[in-house]
Amino acid sequence: MIAFIDEHRDRFGVEAICRTLSATACGFITSRAYRAAKTRPTSARALRDAILIEELRRIHAENYGVYGVRKMHHAMVRAGWQIGRDQVARLMRAAGLQGVRRGRKPITTRPAGEPDTRPDLVERRFAAERPHQLWVADITYVRILTGFCYVAFITDVFTRRIVGWAVSAILHTQGLPLLALEHALLSTGASRGRQGLVHHSDRGAQGGFNRSSQHPLGITGGMGDGKQGLGEEDQ
C-alpha cells in the first residue's frame, strides 16, 4: 500500500488517496500513518533481504543464470549463508531470478506397430552362467551442450561389462543398434563361431533392435561364422 501511494501521490495527493482507500476493501491507512511509515528506519529483515538478494544475483550470474531454487539454495549454503529454501524462493521472485527449465526428454523406445511373433529366449530370466552367454541391449540419451546424443550399448549379463556401443548425434533407428552389435561381435571375438550366445533387446520399434540379431553379419561380411552362435531373438 505504501508503494501504491508513492506511485500516485504526485497526481492525487496523499490525503485523497488515503480517504479513497479507507472506503474500500483494500485496507485502511491514514496520512499520518503513511508519513510515519516513510520516516521509520529500515527493518533488520529488509536490510538482510537486500544483502541476500545481491548475493543471489552474484551466484546466479556466476552459474550462467541457469540455477533454480534448489541449486541456488545449495550454493548459498555452501557459501556460508544460513538461509532456507523457501526464503531463497521468495527472494529470487523479488529479484526476478529464475532457473532454466529443461526441455522435454527425448523418447528412445516406442512400441512397435505390429505384434512380434519371435520367441522370447530369455523369458525375463536375466542370468547367465558364463561370459558371452546372454547380451542385453538398450538405447539411451546423454545431454550435451548442443542438445542430446544417443548411445546404443550392449551389456554382458554375466560380467556386467559393456561389450559394444555406438554413439550418434541423431537417433538412427536402423543403424545405431546394429553398429553397437557389430562392435560387440568384433571386440569380443564372438563373430568367430561362439555357440549359445543370445542377444536380447526390448520390443520397441527402433529398427535395429526390431530385426534379427543375425542380420548385421550378412551385411558386413567376414563374420558369417558367427551366425550359428547367435540366438534367433531380438526383442
Side-chain angles (χ1 to χ4, degrees), residues 58-59 70 86 90 147 179 196 199 210 215 235:
R58 182 187 66 81
I59 293 177
R70 181 178 63 85
D86 291 342
R90 176 177 64 83
L179 287 174
H199 170 260
N210 214 24
H215 188 78
Q235 302 170 356

Side-chain angles (χ1 to χ4, degrees), residues 5-182:
I5 296 175
D6 287 341
E7 183 179 355
H8 299 91
R9 59 178 296 179
D10 293 336
R11 181 179 179 184
F12 300 105
V14 174
E15 287 76 7
I17 295 175
C18 290
R19 285 196 303 269
T20 302
L21 291 177
S22 64
T24 66
C26 296
F28 173 76
I29 185 172
T30 63
S31 58
R32 178 181 296 181
Y34 167 77
R35 293 186 175 89
K38 295 295 293 183
T39 58
R40 187 181 303 125
T42 306
S43 66
R45 175 180 174 177
L47 291 174
R48 176 177 166 82
D49 285 353
I51 296 173
L52 290 174
I53 285 176
E54 290 302 317
E55 185 69 7
L56 286 169
R57 284 176 174 158
R58 182 187 66 81
I59 293 177
H60 195 258
E62 288 179 354
N63 291 279
Y64 308 100
V66 300
Y67 274 12
V69 173
R70 181 178 63 85
K71 289 187 176 180
M72 284 296 295
H73 175 238
H74 292 325
M76 290 289 285
V77 172
R78 286 196 302 268
W81 294 94
Q82 294 183 354
I83 186 172
R85 180 168 176 170
D86 291 342
Q87 188 177 8
V88 170
R90 176 177 64 83
L91 295 177
M92 287 184 66
R93 285 195 301 269
L97 302 176
Q98 60 181 357
V100 175
R101 297 181 180 272
R102 290 185 176 182
R104 183 179 179 182
K105 294 182 179 180
I107 299 174
T108 57
T109 300
R110 299 178 179 87
E114 56 186 20
D116 195 337
T117 59
R118 286 167 292 183
D120 184 357
L121 303 181
V122 178
E123 295 181 348
R124 311 306 299 173
R125 293 193 297 269
F126 296 101
E129 298 177 353
R130 64 182 186 278
H132 308 307
Q133 180 182 5
L134 174 60
W135 288 351
V136 293
D138 202 358
I139 300 178
T140 188
Y141 69 94
V142 178
R143 189 182 298 273
I144 57 178
L145 290 177
T146 57
F148 300 96
C149 69
Y150 299 89
V151 182
F153 58 92
I154 298 175
T155 305
D156 188 300
V157 171
F158 182 82
T159 62
R160 302 294 180 182
R161 175 174 171 264
I162 295 178
V163 295
W165 55 272
V167 181
S168 176
I170 59 176
L171 186 57
H172 292 290
T173 58
Q174 293 289 337
L176 187 61
L178 299 181
L179 287 174
L181 180 57
E182 290 180 11

